[in-house]
Amino acid sequence: TDGLEFVMSIVFLNGSYMPMDEAKISPMDRGFLFGDGIYEVIPSYDGKLVGFAPHIERMDQGMDLIGIKFGYSQDEWRAVCENLIEKNGGGNLGIYLHVSRGTDSKRFHAYPEGVEATVFAFVFEIPAAPVADKAVAKAYKVSSTEDLRWKRCNIKSTALLGNVMHFQQGYESGNNEIILYNADGEMTEGSACNAYIVKDGVVITPPLDHQILPGITRLMLLDILAKDGSVKVEERIVTMDEVRNADEIWLTSSSKEIAPVVELDGQPVGDGQIGATWEKAQALYSAGKYNY
Ligand code: PMP
């Protein structure tokens, strides 16, 4: 299934662990009223976290960008992650961390003074990490549409309605994801993942700016490929014409790792099969992902 299932779970809320159905927040929480918060998803396979430090750094940067003052250290966050893994029985988990601006007494747009942030974390099951083998990998089908989200997509905000509406467009037409492009016909990203093409063996992905989330899988993948050196990478504008003529298309996210796309808007990508460059990149990623 595409849905990521709940583990019958123990969650973390404002410093305490409790069963999910006992976790309560006020409807006056600004996360609920305004989507005023920052979140992260960190994958964990058999208790081993992937990209823990860069995930927490991105969360701290996001909170700085929107003026939420909340200061868990990396050690404090790590304890939350490890406790949730243990209390929920391990396996393949996505660890969701969420800090909202907190609960105010009134509904007023300005940032309130003296309100404590709400911190929430829970875990959900994710698929086993992909194996770098074309014969068994899940092949993705995607559609495409103009990116109608806001101009601050670099912030990992809990206000995800733009992403949700785009994902739904792809989902309703039987696709696993949807690739977005700006008004100039340049690919931005997927509704919940970063996007890449491969042409003549070169991996090409849009540069980091306000149009895309700085994905941690992207960060790690580009670093792993640069260190290995056998697959060339370019960070530059990618037009949708290039996407439609690509040999391969990939999507990356924490819960998917590198997802090979074989169909775009009903047309085969390249020869319609998962590509050789994907296999190589996923093998390198699998070997290197615990070093971050
Ligand atoms: N872009 C968007 C819009 C996302 O929601 C995500 C995360 N699901 C990503 C990119 C990928 O980020 P990461 O590799 O850190 O999971």
Side-chain angles (χ1 to χ4, degrees):
T1 63
D2 280 44
L4 300 163
E5 314 296 327
F6 287 114
V7 180
M8 183 32 227
S9 58
I10 300 295
V11 306
F12 173 88
L13 180 63
N14 297 327
S16 310
Y17 296 88
M18 63 198 76
M20 176 78 89
D21 58 3
E22 287 173 24
K24 302 275 190 289
I25 62 158
S26 166
M28 295 306 288
D29 193 281
R30 289 178 62 103
F32 182 70
L33 290 177
F34 296 123
D36 185 355
I38 295 291
Y39 77 105
E40 269 304 323
V41 177
I42 308 177
S44 166
Y45 299 102
D46 292 326
K48 282 185 288 177
L49 296 162
V50 178
F52 173 79
H55 275 287
I56 299 301
E57 282 158 21
R58 180 174 64 183
M59 196 176 194
D60 286 340
Q61 283 158 12
M63 289 191 283
D64 277 352
L65 283 167
I66 71 168
I68 289 183
K69 293 176 192 69
F70 180 78
Y72 269 14
S73 64
Q74 290 212 358
D75 285 347
E76 285 167 301
W77 281 122
R78 190 181 284 279
V80 171
C81 294
E82 287 174 353
N83 287 332
L84 285 177
I85 293 168
E86 199 236 62
K87 288 174 194 296
N88 290 290
N92 304 325
L93 298 175
I95 303 167
Y96 177 91
L97 308 176
H98 169 132
V99 180
S100 85
R101 200 180 302 279
T103 300
D104 200 356
S105 53
K106 55 190 181 303
R107 184 183 177 281
F108 177 57
H109 287 53
Y111 301 172
E113 298 285 334
V115 163
E116 264 185 52
T118 300
V119 51
F120 172 58
F122 77 104
V123 299
F124 57 92
E125 267 179 42
I126 58 173
V131 176
D133 177 353
K134 290 193 274 188
V136 298
K138 173 177 171 176
Y140 285 69
K141 294 182 180 185
V142 304
S143 56
S144 67
T145 196
E146 185 176 348
D147 193 340
L148 298 179
R149 303 172 301 162
W150 68 338
K151 292 182 179 150
R152 292 174 175 170
C153 292
N154 54 311
I155 301 174
K156 198 164 171 65
S157 162
T158 57
L160 284 173
L161 186 57
N163 302 67
V164 163
M165 290 176 75
H166 278 321
F167 186 87
Q168 183 68 15
Q169 273 176 286
Y171 190 71
E172 277 176 0
S173 55
N175 290 289
N176 307 108
E177 247 292 0
I178 188 161
I179 285 181
L180 306 174
Y181 52 84
N182 66 20
D184 296 325
E186 302 162 356
M187 178 169 76
T188 56
E189 60 178 347
S191 70
C193 49
N194 291 112
Y196 311 68
I197 63 166
V198 178
K199 190 67 184 176
D200 300 328
V202 180
V203 179
I204 314 167
T205 196
L208 294 184
D209 63 13
H210 64 282
Q211 300 181 98
I212 68 172
L213 188 79
I216 303 305
T217 317
R218 179 189 184 282
L219 173 86
M220 291 166 47
L221 174 62
L222 296 193
D223 192 54
I224 287 169
L225 293 180
K227 283 181 175 143
D228 174 75
S230 63
V231 179
K232 198 173 164 242
V233 179
E234 291 177 7
E235 288 179 77
R236 64 160 173 82
I237 287 169
V238 182
T239 67
M240 284 308 286
D241 283 343
E242 290 180 288
V243 177
R244 296 191 196 287
N245 290 298
D247 300 328
E248 301 182 27
I249 299 175
W250 306 342
L251 304 172
T252 67
S253 77
S254 292
S255 54
K256 292 198 230 350
E257 299 198 345
I258 312 169
V261 176
V262 298
E263 194 182 295
L264 168 64
D265 294 325
Q267 300 297 314
V269 176
D271 63 4
Q273 306 294 313
I274 296 175
T277 308
W278 172 80
E279 214 171 45
K280 190 159 194 191
Q282 179 62 56
L284 289 167
Y285 188 83
S286 302
K289 69 183 181 185
Y290 294 115
N291 299 330
Y292 293 84

